[in-house]
Amino acid sequence: VYQVFENVARKYDVMNDSMTLGIHRVWKDILVHKMNPCPGTLLLDVAGGTGDIAFRFINYVRSVRQRQLQRKLKHDQNLSWQEIFESYQNDKFNNSLGDSQVVVCDINREMLKVGKQKAQHLGYSEGLSWVLGNAEELPFDDDKFDVYTIAFGIRNVTRIDLALQEAYRVLKPGGRFLCLEFSHVSNPLLSRLYDLYSFQVIPVLGEVIAGDWRSYQYLVESIRQFPPQEELKAMIEDAGFFRVDYENLNFGIVAIHSGFKL
Amino acid sequence: VRCQQYPPLRALQASAALRAASDEHKKEPWASSSQQHFDSPPAGHQPEEKPQGPHPSYTGQGGQQSEDYESEEQLQHRILTAALEFVPEHGWTAEAIAEGAKTLGLSVAAAGLFHSDGSELILHFVSDCNTKLSELLKKEQKLVQLGKAEKKPIDEFLRDAVEARLRMLIPYIEKWPQALSVLLLPRNIPSSLSLLTSMIDDIWHYAGDQSTDFNWYTRRAVLTAIYNTTELVMMQDSSPGFEDTWRFLENRVADAMAMSNTATQVQSTGEAVVQGLMGAAVTVSNAGTCRAVR
């Protein structure tokens, strides 16, 4: 798994775009929208190498914070001087993220490097941390994070149950587990088209764009091997999560699983 | 031996631990019923098997897991109740719910348990208010039965009941219009409508069997109209202590009584509709004056 991603790191984003015809951006947007984070949320993005989810999270929280500050401003129009003075002292005045933070954790140094570069390039400076770590054995304390996300990463984990248990461990009580992953298409017609596309087109794209069809062959096969929606839901419940639910996107090509540590 | 398959009855370990840590000694009477379902816990699913005590009270071994299990629903109920205090500041939104969850020691992500438009919070509040109203009316009825209070004439009774119920909105009045619009979403209409009708039925129930010449449906419709229109007037009201609203209420109730005293029986709910229209007209003219004043 490590070597696959070493090869793939640099071209990861380009390949994603071409393989999924750019829809992966929408999927990731939907994930963050479903999360609906409010300022002050601490997010752990596992296997989040190049930072897609992290950046979207920061954008979302920033806009929510803007709205909050605007509302506060409107409300504060009629304050006395004393109250305004106090608010200057109490407010985290310059905090555009409202104390929200993302920790991006990945097993692969190359992916993290690419992610850091991207962050610099796009101008994301505050609220981001990059940590090297294994999803089956996270280098974090218990009960730390508000949200745990793993987007297109869990199928690469050897022991999914261990990763789920780790997720449960590091989440605060009330915390949320979100998993975005390729899943099973139930519609038979679509399934055939999808299979055709996956096995014929994607490895070819892999060779053309990244010069590596083997990795993408592996990718497509690992998608087929991955447990279907209900099975993954059962595994998440086994790890101790409540209210486990999934939402199919694009008829099951991708699914978002969600669970709470209650 | 029954094996309960529904997840809601599984022990909410995290929240149970939280509540043990915050020293809650309350005896939870409902826990005893969920206790029965745990006679045979789902095989192998509970990593920590908590000893099944004969009673649900907190064992008092500081920090130890408490034995009163809570269902998801009850936890949701607690979160929503805690969220209410943040509504004046944040509105009926997921943010208020997140703040509420925070006060209970849960992560802000717990707001994800609910819809992002705050529907559940509003419905919870409405149902809470209705319960409070029921209790208030029951108490008053008891006083009357014990002879400690006079039985009120029907118009005064209705007026007081509607006023008491509407007064519960006062702390949230600024954000209430937002709540009303959410209650009217197609998704919420079944619940909000049933809450409304059960509240109205409740009031009539406690109003007793004073003859009013109305038949049951008409009574319901008339009081619903009175309630809804008074609520709308209250949204627009800027008079001190909401005097205008109470005066409006008095007039509407008087109209309703007058209707019943006329020779003709009220056969259809058409009259109630007319009342509603009248109320709407008053609301519009009030809105006009308010805008002019501003």
Side-chain angles (χ1 to χ4, degrees), chain A residues 73-91:
Chain A
L73 214 61
K74 252 200 286 184
H75 180 258
D76 286 352
Q77 293 298 340
N78 296 323
L79 292 184
S80 68
W81 284 114
Q82 179 69 17
E83 288 168 312
I84 294 178
F85 176 67
E86 277 165 10
S87 79
Y88 274 19
Q89 292 188 315
N90 298 334
D91 252 359

Side-chain angles (χ1 to χ4, degrees), chain A residues 100-135:
Chain A
S100 330
Q101 268 192 63
V102 189
V103 177
V104 181
C105 177
D106 202 288
I107 197 173
N108 188 303
R109 219 178 286 270
E110 288 301 317
M111 295 289 275
L112 285 177
K113 219 166 58 167
V114 171
K116 276 190 225 175
Q117 286 171 355
K118 235 170 82 170
Q120 237 181 5
H121 184 69
L122 294 171
Y124 292 99
S125 50
E126 49 170 354
L128 271 177
S129 318
W130 307 85
V131 175
L132 194 66
N134 183 349

Side-chain angles (χ1 to χ4, degrees), chain A residues 35-36 38-41 64 67-68 71 145-147 168 172-176 237-238 240-243 260-262, chain B residues 7 10-15 18 45 72 75-76 89-91 94-95 98 105-110 112-114 116 175:
Chain A
M35 197 198 304
N36 196 16
C38 58
T41 302
V64 173
R67 253 188 294 137
Q68 262 186 358
R71 228 190 307 145
F145 295 98
D146 291 306
V147 186
Y168 189 86
K172 278 193 220 163
R176 190 171 194 184
E237 278 173 351
D238 279 348
F241 290 100
F242 283 86
R243 277 282 221 107
F260 290 89
K261 174 176 179 173
L262 290 177
Chain B
R10 272 191 358 207
L12 296 181
Q13 297 160 355
S15 73
L18 269 180
H45 283 279
E72 250 175 70
L75 178 65
Q76 288 184 0
E89 188 188 338
H90 292 280
E95 272 167 44
L106 293 173
S107 153
V108 293
L113 286 166
F114 309 99
S116 52
K175 309 279 180 181

Side-chain angles (χ1 to χ4, degrees), chain B residues 54-69:
Chain B
H55 53 80
S57 64
Y58 179 57
T59 57
Q61 292 173 343
Q64 216 73 340
Q65 305 279 6
S66 67
E67 290 174 339
D68 45 340
Y69 296 109

Side-chain angles (χ1 to χ4, degrees), chain B residues 71-123:
Chain B
S71 75
E72 250 175 70
E73 229 181 270
Q74 274 138 5
L75 178 65
Q76 288 184 0
H77 198 84
R78 279 202 305 144
I79 296 178
L80 291 179
T81 312
L84 285 178
E85 86 174 72
F86 297 96
V87 167
E89 188 188 338
H90 292 280
W92 302 93
T93 57
E95 272 167 44
I97 302 179
E99 293 289 322
K102 231 188 337 189
T103 58
L104 293 179
L106 293 173
S107 153
V108 293
L113 286 166
F114 309 99
H115 256 115
S116 52
D117 59 6
S119 304
E120 282 106 335
L121 182 58
I122 302 174
L123 289 170

